[in-house]
Amino acid sequence: EFKFRLIEELCANYDLDGLELDFMRHPYFFKDKETTTEQRRGIMTEFVTHVRRTLDATAREGRARWLCARIPAHEAAHDAMGLDMQALSINGFWWYEVKDRTLADRIVRAQNQGLAKFVSQYPDRFVGMSSSSLQFPELAAQQLDEGVKKYGLRAAAIGGHVNGEDLSLPKY
């Protein structure tokens, strides 16, 4: 309850763009022998849902706030934390600097194929997020389409700008 109140106070009193929940620092919130996996999942789902609702309820009109969570990379810790699904992306957004369209396409295709192969091995634990070369808008649309339809990726990860250009520009 204390954590909820602290988050509510931060959201109500500060003009935040969003929150990052860091489950990496203290990954073991539950004692395995005192709670079941289902109980831990329920508690974590309720906590994250409450944070999301708080962010939405306190945001300025017409503005969305982001919510992200850092979690351990090792799957064994997920059950102990009450996490049942994780969205993965391979996005450093560094390839926005790539000026060669063919090279950018090859980079993104390799990432999307590799990520799709990995998440397909663990369909109950992971979903993949498609990468795209936003510096080439038509290519980016094709890559997203291919990522979702061909590789089964379920979301897209994009940066807030492309080489300093705002994504609200008509070319995007």
Side-chain angles (χ1 to χ4, degrees), residues 53-99:
R53 286 185 183 140
T54 300
L55 284 167
D56 292 342
T58 58
R60 286 184 288 159
E61 188 174 330
R63 183 168 176 208
R65 288 176 160 170
W66 53 263
L67 173 62
C68 65
R70 290 182 37 170
I71 63 172
H74 52 285
E75 186 182 349
H78 295 181
D79 283 337
M81 294 176 64
L83 301 172
D84 57 353
M85 184 63 74
Q86 180 176 333
L88 302 177
S89 77
I90 306 174
N91 273 302
F93 307 115
W94 58 267
W95 67 84
Y96 290 170
E97 296 289 330
V98 175
K99 306 285 188 242

Side-chain angles (χ1 to χ4, degrees), residues 28-129:
Y28 302 100
F29 299 101
F30 306 104
K31 295 181 180 168
D32 288 341
K33 293 179 172 80
E34 294 179 17
T35 57
T36 67
T37 298
E38 289 305 312
Q39 287 172 321
R40 291 189 293 270
R41 286 180 181 166
I43 292 166
M44 289 299 279
T45 298
E46 182 181 335
F47 179 75
V48 173
T49 299
H50 182 80
V51 171
R52 173 77 267 159
R53 286 185 183 140
T54 300
L55 284 167
D56 292 342
T58 58
R60 286 184 288 159
E61 188 174 330
R63 183 168 176 208
R65 288 176 160 170
W66 53 263
L67 173 62
C68 65
R70 290 182 37 170
I71 63 172
H74 52 285
E75 186 182 349
H78 295 181
D79 283 337
M81 294 176 64
L83 301 172
D84 57 353
M85 184 63 74
Q86 180 176 333
L88 302 177
S89 77
I90 306 174
N91 273 302
F93 307 115
W94 58 267
W95 67 84
Y96 290 170
E97 296 289 330
V98 175
K99 306 285 188 242
D100 182 282
R101 187 179 196 276
T102 302
L103 178 59
D105 190 33
R106 288 178 53 210
I107 291 168
V108 168
R109 182 168 284 120
Q111 289 183 335
N112 286 344
Q113 287 173 342
L115 184 57
K117 182 178 179 183
F118 177 78
V119 299
S120 71
Q121 296 173 45
Y122 308 95
D124 295 334
R125 296 299 262 185
F126 301 112
V127 296
M129 298 175 70

